[in-house]
Amino acid sequence: MTDEFKTLRKFDAGKGREAFLHSLPALEEQGIGKISRLPVSIRIVLESVLRNCDGKKVRRKDVEALAKWNAKSPANEEIPFVVARIVLQDFTGVPLIVDLAAMRSAVQRLGRDPNIIEPLVPVDLVVDHSVQVDFFGSPRALELNLDMEFKRNRERYQFLKWGQQAFKTFQLIPPGIGIVHQVNLEYLAKGVLSQMSEVGSQRSEIFFPDTLVGTDSHTTMINGLGVVGWGVGGIEAEAGMLGQPVYFLTPEVVGVHLTGQLREGVTATDLVLHITQLLRAQKVVGKFVDFYGEGAASLPVPDRATIGNMSPEYGATMGFFPVDDESVNYLRATGRTEEQCVAFENYFRAQKLFGMPRKGEIDYSVDIDLDLADVQPSVAGPKRPQDRINLPELGSKFRELLEKPVHDGGYGKKQIDLREKHVVELNGSAPRNGAMFSTDTKEHQGIKPGEARNVLEMVANRPTPDAAKEIEAESSNVFARGRAHIGHGSVLIAAITSCTNTSNPSVMIAAGLLAKKAVERGLHVEPGVKTSLAPGSRVVSDYLEKTGLQTYLDQLGFNLVGYGCTTCIGNSGPLHPNIEKTIHEYDLVAASVLSGNRNFEARVHQHIKANFLMSPPLVVAFALAGRVHIDLSRDPLGKDKDGKETFLRDLWPSLSEIRTAMQSALTPETFRKYYRDFAGQNPKWNEIPSSTGDIYQWDEKSDYIHDPPFFENFSMEPGHIAEIRSARALGIFGDTVTTDHISPAGAIKESSSAGRYLMSRGIQPRDFNSYGSRRGNDLVMTRGTFANVRIKNLMVPGTEGGVTKYFAPTGTGGSKNGEGEETCIFDAAMKYAETKTPLVILAGHEYGTGSSRDWAAKGTRLLGVKAVIAASFERIHRSNLVGMGVLPLQFLEGTSAQSLGLDGSEKFSITGLSDSIKPGQQVTLEIEKTNGEKREFPVKLRIDTPIEIDYYRHGGILPFVLRQLLTKQ
Ligand code: SF4
């Protein structure tokens, strides 16, 4: 244990338990900086820098620079942040374990000890992203969805089980337990951690704050508990696991001073949507946000966690709440041991970090005030989470957007009569993708629309024979029955989903209470609305059962469908085929309502264009209303059993009703009961066979797990940084191209490159599974890169999807008159690879916004893209590009692909690149038109830190780390 600044101090970790900490007050006493006025989030990072200061990985000057953090002008320095642990979800976690397995194989090929590849900090992986809503509206939905999940993901789960035994510091939480951030909040987070170390001549216990990074952008949910952490790309997480600090530029910290109280009828979801809109407008991208003041102190931890969760949506690196009594109360209430709770409180008190700061106590870069009483019930959408709409205005806003031109963000419909509905017969099912199955429609005749809601949906990408049989066996309650009447604005998906909200008992109980009142009045949900409830932990089901509310949710179709991400990540499963057909035929702008945090186009469902985020009780209310073009403050939701109009206000539960239900239902014992012996509680997991050993035996027959080519021809010497010459454009994109666009996570279309590849491997469309589930296979993922059905490549105007133009080398006669040949992006990239032609991507603002997706960068690299030139980048994606050895470059203000009149027929060269490049310097973009005319423009190198130069020179983080580990050995 190093103690460079002699700050180790004793403290009482509880009941006389003598322990040590690296004291920030002791550092301040040395006169290095006014540490007690630093934002709490910065002080927690400073503790890590101080504790890990060894003169090499973390230098004295790193500690001094951060201790002197200047609120108004933070140093332009990178901070080496060594985190205490790492959390992963399975979509991003599988490729990460695949990379570790590939590194072990590479080390073995070099004749060295593969066990040098081992996570050096604890890693928890929660399998939560693989469950899909195939079945819903049935008491058997959970069981059947879990069955499907295990059938589809068997190979991945076998691999993960291998990883569990191969790596010592790797804990796996199997499927069916919960959602990573909720599990982190309710169970994994400890508040403080400790380890034994030498202090003088003795081994002593050293305490330090719980800090982490996760491979999921909503890792920030844990900020609600006072834990510093955020989402990073899989590539950075991997480096963190291998003992590298996570590097980030010294941030500004925005202080949000909360005052007042939320009004009756206003939920934590309304608050987070308000904050998202407020902070988006304040441009907090790349900054920390610290909430403080008496309003912050009054919020319980679940509300704080909801606010922390959506920091990627408002753009901040974190949305942090300092530790106070509420934080300790939450640890106690969720069944953490008394020893842990006391150590947590004592540690933060000893560091003078305990308690919610008040106005004037801390220096923030920017100070913003928000009175909680100003927050209104609202929703956000239809395409972006920051587009908040006051609840009464949703109907008029939707009508406005329907007619607004597409280029202004609308849907470009003309003279729409919103009363016009198309009748969709839901009896039985049309055959799809060659899978024939039907039900006896006569059997269902006479059932009135909405009478029976025990709907089982058919299987995504068509049923496997087994699943088809199961569905047939369930035919008395299979498929929505009766008739749906759908038109523009019809709600077709209503999902209580996402850890953002399901971790918050107040909004979940509010949804249950609203359902109870609706059922008691005889209201029902129309057929055609796909209803689902997917909480982030089994604790939710426990309290919904205990309060007797689940039964009412069931009666409205909100049966439990799984414990996982489902609709939040786009795993909403298919709609009834006749509904999909009608949407397609009439080009309907249908709607989803969900308690999630993302609503980019095609994320929730490929056929649903308008997606609104809202609280769980509002999801139930809109399911009842069946449409979004409604003013719920004035218009009735429906008629009760006596034919009387019923309004939202008639159903909305009061705060005291919610509190009473919560008090009777939530106990620490409940949390302890569900957070133990995960494998024992999950027999399906135990049945999965697994291989053993240090090295993974790659199976060429597997289409889920494949040895990636990142270490092919690996040598100990990195290459030199060289100029990029005569590159071709693979795509030219507009603003806000998301990682969903670049690396889609939804279903794999039969006609896509990935679909055709899987078919060529003998895999039928019904077994395609999603892209996310095949992230362990580079051969599928590279084909899926830029293949999103909604991506618009401006090189091929008027088209959507992964198409581009291929320009054959001059003299080969491939493209006539320099016009290029229209083809899919993957095929073009492979043709360019044959002639070793480097590729570039050109894009507008906020390139790579959305969830962190390592495959958005890995796929870009494997397609042969050498540089991405954009007007601006999302933080994680930019660093992931560097992490994969792809050069991010930024147009200077006022320049863009459009302003330069580029159409993709040009050749691009990037000059001024060499081993001596500096972060943020300008280099030259040279553009050669087809007529030979050349122009030059300066562009900014978006390699932001010195260490990133090293990463780029080594061809990415993975080869960099591997060379370091092999050199040390
Ligand atoms: S529920 Fe949504 S926000 Fe939460 S981990 Fe899953 S995908 Fe991310």
Side-chain angles (χ1 to χ4, degrees):
M1 169 60 62
T2 60
D3 186 14
E4 283 277 319
F5 287 81
K6 304 284 172 264
T7 51
L8 263 181
R9 296 288 182 275
K10 274 186 196 163
F11 85 108
D12 174 11
K15 295 194 179 143
R17 182 178 166 197
E18 191 181 273
F20 286 82
L21 51 73
H22 284 268
S23 167
L24 294 174
L27 186 65
E28 181 165 12
E29 281 163 19
Q30 296 179 21
I32 291 179
K34 197 74 187 126
I35 293 164
S36 51
R37 288 198 63 84
L38 299 183
V40 175
S41 56
I42 291 286
R43 278 187 264 169
I44 292 175
V45 175
L46 176 60
E47 188 281 339
S48 162
V49 179
L50 174 67
R51 178 166 37 89
N52 290 289
C53 180
D54 58 359
K56 285 183 243 145
K57 204 157 56 183
V58 182
R59 302 153 303 174
R60 282 184 72 90
K61 70 177 208 168
D62 296 319
V63 179
E64 288 162 3
L66 193 57
K68 291 189 176 94
W69 181 82
N70 182 332
K72 299 300 170 198
S73 166
N76 192 24
E77 299 280 342
E78 59 186 358
I79 299 173
F81 183 32
V82 180
V83 292
R85 61 192 177 95
I86 307 252
V87 291
L88 312 171
Q89 36 94 337
D90 57 304
F91 270 18
T92 47
V94 166
L96 212 136
I97 307 298
V98 166
D99 288 350
L100 288 184
M103 279 173 109
R104 278 200 170 175
S105 297
V107 173
Q108 191 193 39
R109 285 197 294 273
L110 292 169
R112 309 285 283 271
D113 176 10
N115 288 314
I116 61 164
I117 307 297
E118 175 73 45
L120 297 176
V121 295
V123 177
D124 295 297
L125 187 152
V126 180
V127 183
D128 63 355
H129 273 49
S130 297
V131 59
Q132 179 169 301
V133 190
D134 296 313
F135 300 89
F136 73 99
S138 157
R140 290 196 61 207
L142 170 71
E143 177 200 339
L144 294 171
N145 285 326
L146 206 55
D147 271 358
M148 287 304 299
E149 179 187 343
F150 272 81
K151 273 177 197 144
R152 288 189 183 120
N153 294 289
R154 199 176 166 83
E155 283 180 44
R156 297 169 69 232
Y157 294 171
Q158 281 175 345
F159 172 72
L160 283 175
K161 273 189 130 175
W162 168 81
Q164 198 175 14
Q165 62 80 45
F167 300 105
K168 296 184 194 75
T169 38
F170 174 52
Q171 180 188 206
L172 193 133
I173 313 275
I177 301 296
I179 299 175
V180 57
H181 306 310
Q182 190 162 339
V183 173
N184 194 20
L185 186 69
E186 292 179 351
Y187 170 68
L188 295 173
K190 305 282 183 272
V192 280
L193 301 173
S194 68
Q195 66 183 36
M196 299 305 288
S197 220
E198 302 295 329
V199 177
S201 56
Q202 276 185 335
R203 277 189 79 69
S204 299
E205 193 174 13
I206 314 275
F207 274 79
F208 48 93
D210 184 359
T211 56
L212 72 155
V213 287
T215 51
D216 190 284
S217 42
H218 298 100
T219 301
T220 49
M221 187 160 158
I222 206 63
N223 302 160
L225 189 59
V227 173
V228 164
W230 57 84
V232 292
I235 301 142
E236 287 166 291
E238 213 150 32
M241 278 165 57
L242 297 169
Q244 296 296 302
V246 172
Y247 291 91
F248 65 106
L249 269 185
T250 309
E252 287 184 26
V253 181
V254 177
V256 180
H257 183 236
L258 301 180
T259 54
Q261 300 265 328
L262 291 178
R263 288 178 299 114
E264 177 83 35
V266 176
T267 63
T269 322
D270 300 322
L271 173 58
V272 76
L273 296 182
H274 186 107
I275 286 174
T276 301
Q277 185 186 42
L278 175 80
L279 293 183
R280 255 293 156 193
Q282 294 284 338
K283 303 204 185 320
V284 296
V285 173
K287 299 174 187 174
F288 285 4
V289 171
D290 278 25
F291 294 91
Y292 73 104
E294 68 272 25
S298 76
L299 293 173
V301 166
D303 287 7
R304 299 177 186 181
T306 298
I307 295 167
N309 178 289
M310 284 189 73
S311 42
E313 280 66 44
Y314 43 85
T317 305
M318 286 206 296
F320 179 81
F321 285 81
V323 172
D324 66 354
D325 289 323
E326 279 295 327
S327 328
V328 183
N329 292 345
Y330 182 81
L331 282 194
R332 276 205 179 89
T334 48
R336 269 72 167 214
T337 63
E338 191 54 25
E339 202 182 21
Q340 261 173 12
C341 297
V342 173
F344 179 49
E345 178 167 348
N346 288 7
Y347 177 88
F348 277 85
R349 283 193 185 280
Q351 289 283 34
K352 296 197 188 314
L353 289 170
F354 193 85
M356 193 60 71
R358 283 170 302 189
K359 190 98 177 167
E361 289 179 355
I362 305 277
D363 297 322
Y364 297 107
S365 308
V366 180
D367 223 323
I368 296 172
D369 286 295
L370 170 61
D371 184 348
L372 297 178
D374 290 342
V375 177
Q376 311 270 337
S378 38
V379 304
K383 294 178 189 169
R384 300 191 311 175
Q386 66 264 40
D387 295 335
R388 192 184 64 83
I389 304 165
N390 282 335
L391 188 59
E393 290 147 28
L394 175 59
S396 53
K397 184 74 188 174
F398 181 76
R399 283 186 198 96
E400 179 195 319
L401 286 170
L402 209 52
E403 301 205 343
K404 213 175 191 178
V406 175
H407 56 80
D408 288 337
Y411 297 103
K413 302 282 172 197
K414 291 271 175 306
Q415 295 175 339
I416 295 295
D417 181 354
L418 281 170
R419 288 166 305 182
E420 190 182 296
K421 298 280 180 247
H422 305 276
V423 178
V424 185
E425 294 293 344
L426 301 177
N427 295 321
S429 158
R432 272 178 72 152
N433 290 359
M436 282 290 296
F437 63 102
S438 62
T439 52
D440 178 3
T441 51
K442 281 196 189 123
E443 186 184 326
H444 306 306
Q445 279 174 5
I447 296 174
K448 295 188 200 98
E451 191 173 79
R453 287 284 314 151
N454 51 349
V455 181
L456 278 175
E457 182 54 279
M458 54 189 292
V459 179
N461 296 320
R462 307 329 99 207
T464 58
D466 281 356
K469 262 189 234 144
E470 277 179 69
I471 293 171
E472 289 288 353
E474 288 272 312
S475 62
S476 62
N477 55 7
V478 169
F479 309 128
R481 277 161 292 197
R483 267 183 201 131
H485 298 79
I486 69 171
H488 295 295
S490 289
V491 171
L492 297 180
I493 289 179
I496 302 177
T497 179
S498 181
C499 55
T500 317
N501 286 290
T502 68
S503 58
N504 196 328
S506 67
V507 287
M508 296 302 283
I509 283 180
L513 288 168
L514 194 142
K516 178 173 186 277
K517 294 182 189 202
V519 169
E520 284 169 352
R521 284 173 179 255
L523 270 70
H524 61 255
V525 174
E526 290 294 314
V529 187
K530 185 168 185 176
T531 42
S532 60
L533 165 65
S537 84
R538 295 170 300 166
V539 170
V540 178
S541 291
D542 187 280
Y543 66 69
L544 286 177
E545 289 294 344
K546 271 191 197 145
T547 49
L549 296 173
Q550 183 61 53
T551 178
Y552 299 104
L553 287 161
D554 290 348
Q555 287 174 67
L556 295 181
F558 287 97
N559 300 77
L560 184 62
V561 295
Y563 296 101
C565 302
T566 67
T567 304
C568 188
I569 189 68
N571 285 352
S572 40
L575 297 171
H576 191 286
N578 293 354
I579 287 184
E580 289 192 3
K581 195 166 148 253
T582 307
I583 295 175
H584 187 67
E585 203 168 314
Y586 297 99
D587 194 23
L588 296 180
V589 182
S592 76
V593 293
L594 68 154
S595 59
N597 49 31
R598 292 263 161 96
N599 49 358
F600 305 125
E601 262 189 278
R603 178 179 175 100
V604 172
H605 191 283
Q606 306 241 350
H607 287 85
I608 306 281
K609 288 192 176 156
N611 303 291
F612 293 97
L613 309 176
M614 58 186 67
S615 65
L618 281 180
V619 169
V620 178
F622 276 100
L624 292 164
R627 61 196 168 104
V628 291
H629 44 96
I630 182 171
D631 172 358
L632 283 185
S633 67
R634 268 194 357 212
D635 303 333
L637 281 167
K639 291 193 174 155
D640 70 10
K641 51 187 177 251
D642 303 321
K644 200 170 145 233
E645 290 188 329
T646 303
F647 297 84
L648 182 62
R649 59 180 172 272
D650 301 325
L651 306 182
W652 198 265
S654 70
L655 204 52
S656 76
E657 285 175 290
I658 296 169
R659 281 200 184 128
T660 309
M662 268 166 60
Q663 274 159 14
S664 67
L666 274 164
T667 65
E669 286 67 41
T670 311
F671 289 88
R672 283 188 205 120
K673 178 175 148 195
Y674 289 108
Y675 285 114
R676 65 182 166 80
D677 188 21
F678 303 117
Q681 293 179 30
N682 195 333
K684 278 186 198 301
W685 181 253
N686 292 334
E687 284 163 15
I688 299 261
S690 76
S691 62
T692 53
D694 296 337
I695 299 289
Y696 187 67
Q697 302 306 317
W698 303 98
D699 179 358
E700 281 306 315
K701 289 199 285 304
S702 174
D703 287 295
Y704 279 98
I705 305 295
H706 183 260
D707 191 1
F710 303 130
F711 304 105
E712 258 174 24
N713 307 320
F714 177 84
S715 71
M716 284 303 288
E717 280 308 310
H720 292 286
I721 295 176
E723 296 184 335
I724 297 167
R725 291 274 171 197
S726 296
R728 285 290 189 177
L730 193 59
I732 300 180
F733 303 112
D735 290 343
T736 324
V737 166
T738 69
T739 44
D740 280 14
H741 287 121
I742 304 170
S743 171
I748 300 171
K749 279 181 74 172
E750 206 175 321
S751 56
S752 66
S753 290
R756 292 197 307 271
Y757 168 74
L758 288 172
M759 299 266 283
S760 76
R761 300 268 303 171
I763 297 165
Q764 294 307 307
R766 63 170 180 258
D767 297 323
F768 277 1
N769 212 336
S770 61
Y771 280 109
S773 67
R774 292 194 186 264
R775 280 187 189 186
N777 185 342
D778 56 285
L779 302 172
V780 173
M781 295 309 288
T782 308
R783 287 170 167 84
T785 307
F786 297 109
N788 182 297
V789 292
R790 295 265 176 262
I791 196 166
K792 295 182 182 75
N793 186 352
L794 304 176
M795 286 170 67
V796 198
T799 61
E800 274 190 337
V803 288
T804 188
K805 278 187 184 162
Y806 167 72
F807 294 88
T810 318
T812 60
S815 49
K816 295 182 195 83
N817 307 324
E819 280 178 7
E821 170 197 340
E822 196 173 312
T823 180
C824 79
I825 282 187
F826 176 78
D827 290 350
M830 293 305 104
K831 279 193 195 172
Y832 283 127
E834 283 168 15
T835 51
K836 293 196 168 40
T837 305
L839 300 172
V840 294
I841 295 286
L842 298 118
H845 284 281
E846 296 178 8
Y847 181 76
T849 198
S851 307
S852 70
R853 293 268 173 80
D854 58 336
W855 268 108
K858 285 177 175 170
T860 302
R861 147 92 188 264
L862 292 182
L863 283 174
V865 174
K866 301 295 178 206
V868 176
I869 311 153
S872 66
F873 288 90
E874 189 275 342
R875 181 181 68 85
I876 297 177
H877 186 59
R878 184 207 61 79
S879 90
N880 275 351
L881 286 172
V882 181
M884 284 317 300
V886 178
L887 192 65
L889 296 166
Q890 194 164 312
F891 286 116
L892 300 191
E893 193 74 32
T895 318
S896 66
Q898 285 74 30
S899 75
L900 299 175
L902 304 179
D903 62 11
S905 61
E906 305 82 0
K907 285 184 187 164
F908 301 87
S909 295
I910 295 143
T911 59
L913 295 172
S914 71
D915 282 347
S916 55
I917 51 169
K918 297 274 178 301
Q921 78 166 66
Q922 286 187 4
V923 292
T924 302
L925 172 66
E926 188 184 289
I927 301 167
E928 183 184 342
K929 296 214 156 208
T930 41
N931 62 7
E933 182 195 327
K934 283 188 185 170
R935 286 190 293 165
E936 289 186 352
F937 301 91
V939 284
K940 185 178 174 185
L941 199 61
R942 283 304 310 274
I943 290 184
D944 286 357
T945 60
I947 189 76
E948 285 187 347
I949 299 220
D950 284 342
Y951 292 159
Y952 180 65
R953 192 165 64 86
H954 280 257
I957 287 185
L958 295 179
F960 171 81
V961 170
L962 188 51
R963 285 186 186 110
Q964 279 213 330
L965 289 171
L966 288 166
T967 308
K968 266 191 217 156
Q969 206 198 13

